């Protein structure tokens, strides 16, 4: 049985994935969520990525390969885990949903550590984006975004230029975690070798 770990965004907890976890459990996947602490944008995203690493190291065997999914800020946290904490050794497939992969202009309005790291010109993002293709090409990646995203501005900032990139006309940021078309796209991605 394949395992999926889902990592939430700012101000959320793992409960944000309830509908998605129910869908994938019915498909035969074991689903896991983690509650990042703190989740308000005050923490360094690198520290949150360390929480993901510790969770994975404690929850899964050394040989077990998992599926990792990051939503919104969780997309950046999971990317840091994959790219800087050797996460590609534990992850078979990666799903990145509505993440500010190239930053969001909204991040300029709050001077909190984690939020500042989501600014388009942040040192954090410049570092991650220098070798994104080399580091993430080791695993299969699915990038999902919506052109109507009002949290990721501009919305196409979610694009990474790697793996499979798919846009869905979902009307709000969080609805990406409730949309059946998004679920079906992920399911199709997971079923391919």
């Amino acid at each position: 049985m394949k395992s999926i770990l889902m990592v939430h965004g700012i101000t959320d907890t793992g409960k944000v994935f309830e509908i998605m976890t129910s869908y994938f459990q019915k498909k035969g996947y074991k689903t896991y969520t983690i509650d990042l602490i703190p989740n308000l944008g005050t923490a360094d995203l690198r520290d949150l990525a360390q929480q993901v690493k510790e969770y994975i190291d404690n929850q899964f065997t050394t040989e077990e390969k998992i599926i990792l999914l990051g939503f919104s800020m969780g997309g950046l946290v999971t990317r840091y885990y994959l790219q800087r904490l050797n996460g590609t050794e534990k992850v078979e497939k990666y799903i990145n949903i509505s993440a500010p992969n190239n930053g969001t202009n909204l991040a300029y309005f709050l001077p909190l550590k984690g939020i500042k790291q989501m600014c388009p010109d942040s040192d954090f993002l410049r570092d991650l984006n220098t070798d994104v293709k080399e580091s993430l090409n080791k695993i299969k990646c699915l990038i999902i975004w919506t052109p109507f995203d009002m949290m990721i501005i501009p919305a196409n900032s979610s694009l990474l230029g790697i793996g499979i990139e798919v846009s869905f006309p979902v009307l709000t940021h969080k609805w990406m975690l409730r949309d059946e078309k998004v679920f079906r796209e992920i399911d199709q991605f997971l079923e391919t070798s």
Side-chain angles (χ1 to χ4, degrees), residues 14-192:
K15 288 186 178 181
V16 77
F17 294 111
E18 279 180 340
I19 294 169
M20 185 179 277
T21 55
S22 174
Y23 178 92
F24 284 102
Q25 285 168 358
K26 288 176 188 164
K27 292 283 184 175
Y29 293 92
K30 273 186 97 170
T31 60
Y32 300 83
T33 61
I34 180 175
D35 291 340
L36 301 174
I37 299 169
N39 63 353
L40 301 173
T42 54
D44 190 312
L45 300 184
R46 294 170 288 215
D47 295 338
L48 299 180
Q50 189 63 43
Q51 290 178 34
V52 171
K53 179 184 183 338
E54 289 167 12
Y55 182 89
I56 290 171
D57 289 349
N58 291 325
Q59 186 68 47
F60 304 102
T61 65
T62 320
E63 305 80 36
E64 193 174 0
K65 289 270 194 171
I66 65 164
I67 297 153
L68 184 61
L69 183 150
F71 168 67
S72 194
M73 177 186 78
L76 296 183
V77 170
T78 52
R79 279 186 58 203
Y80 192 86
Y81 165 71
L82 290 167
Q83 293 179 243
R84 299 292 178 260
L85 302 176
N86 297 320
T88 54
E89 294 174 9
K90 289 289 302 169
V91 172
E92 176 186 354
K93 292 186 176 181
Y94 175 56
I95 301 140
N96 179 289
I97 302 175
S98 292
N101 290 310
N102 295 288
T104 175
N105 290 332
L106 283 182
Y108 288 117
F109 295 104
L110 275 176
L112 303 174
K113 177 77 173 177
I115 293 176
K116 287 187 345 189
Q117 289 174 314
M118 291 185 263
C119 287
D121 60 349
S122 74
D123 291 341
F124 178 84
L125 284 177
R126 276 200 302 271
D127 170 55
L128 275 189
N129 290 338
T130 56
D131 65 347
V132 67
K133 290 185 178 160
E134 298 82 1
S135 52
L136 291 186
N137 273 342
K138 298 173 187 170
I139 56 175
K140 294 185 184 321
C141 298
L142 173 64
I143 313 300
I144 302 177
W145 65 291
T146 173
F148 302 116
D149 206 319
M150 296 305 291
M151 295 295 289
I152 312 300
I153 300 173
N156 66 357
S157 177
S158 290
L159 294 170
L160 269 177
I162 61 161
I164 301 165
E165 295 187 308
V166 184
S167 168
F168 287 103
V170 177
L171 290 179
T172 70
H173 189 66
K174 275 197 184 168
W175 284 3
M176 294 293 280
L177 301 181
R178 299 168 175 256
D179 192 281
E180 191 88 13
K181 293 183 298 296
V182 172
F183 297 171
R184 285 196 300 269
E185 183 69 31
I186 294 169
D187 194 29
Q188 183 181 339
F189 169 72
L190 295 180
E191 286 179 0
T192 59

